[in-house]
Amino acid sequence: MSSTTYEGFTAEERAAMKDHALDQKRALRRTSAAEKAAEAARDVIAKIAEMEASDRILAERVHEVVTTSAPELAPKLWYGMPAYALDGKIVCFFQSAEKFKARYATLGFSDRAALDDGTLWPTTFALTKMTPEAEARISALVEQAVS
């Protein structure tokens, strides 16, 4: 009988946790709600700008589609990745492929998103290329998520 040994978090997971801690510290230093919202949005834009070209292009379009489709969602960093919150709670998020050494970027939705459809529904979507169809699907999902 073989046993498995827990080997700890991957380097990517540890980096994401450190990013999350830094995000939280930055948020605590801001004073007014307006300042917090403006800084958080700038942080998201800056994080997107740092991404590799393929992820950056996708993240920029996701950001545009999300903020246009659901302006009530506030951009903020979540584990070092762009995310969008309603009343301070994450509704959806983008994960770059490069950061997590994955085959594709993903667009995910938290349990706060109103995507319920029977007893089983997707909450994370692979994103390899931004097409008009993909943009329309993301827009519809985001609108549904905040409904």
Side-chain angles (χ1 to χ4, degrees):
M1 181 177 199
S2 67
S3 67
T4 57
T5 304
Y6 176 70
E7 296 189 26
F9 295 106
T10 66
E12 293 79 15
E13 290 168 330
R14 284 191 304 278
M17 288 184 280
K18 286 179 184 177
D19 285 343
H20 183 63
L22 288 173
D23 298 342
Q24 297 299 330
K25 287 178 184 178
R26 275 191 219 109
L28 288 173
R29 283 181 269 192
R30 297 175 184 134
T31 55
S32 71
E35 180 189 22
K36 287 179 184 181
E39 273 299 309
R42 283 193 292 272
D43 291 347
V44 167
I45 298 297
K47 184 57 74 173
I48 290 171
E50 294 173 5
M51 292 179 184
E52 296 291 323
S54 58
D55 285 330
R56 185 176 61 250
I57 291 165
L58 293 173
E60 287 170 347
R61 291 305 305 141
V62 166
H63 180 76
E64 179 66 29
V65 171
V66 170
T67 56
T68 300
S69 300
E72 63 270 35
L73 291 178
K76 65 186 283 183
L77 290 177
W78 190 55
Y79 292 94
M81 290 282 105
Y84 305 87
L86 184 63
D87 299 326
K89 304 292 182 178
I90 300 299
V91 172
C92 61
F93 55 91
F94 176 85
Q95 284 186 332
S96 76
E98 185 269 329
K99 178 172 181 154
F100 293 98
K101 295 183 173 51
R103 191 168 60 118
Y104 46 76
T106 57
L107 174 66
F109 293 86
S110 75
D111 62 339
R112 302 274 181 198
L115 298 178
D116 305 37
D117 184 16
T119 59
L120 177 72
W121 59 89
T123 59
T124 306
F125 299 84
L127 186 57
T128 60
K129 183 178 180 184
M130 192 60 80
T131 64
E133 295 80 16
E135 287 186 15
R137 179 79 170 123
I138 292 168
S139 179
L141 285 166
V142 170
E143 288 172 5
Q144 180 182 349
V146 297
S147 65

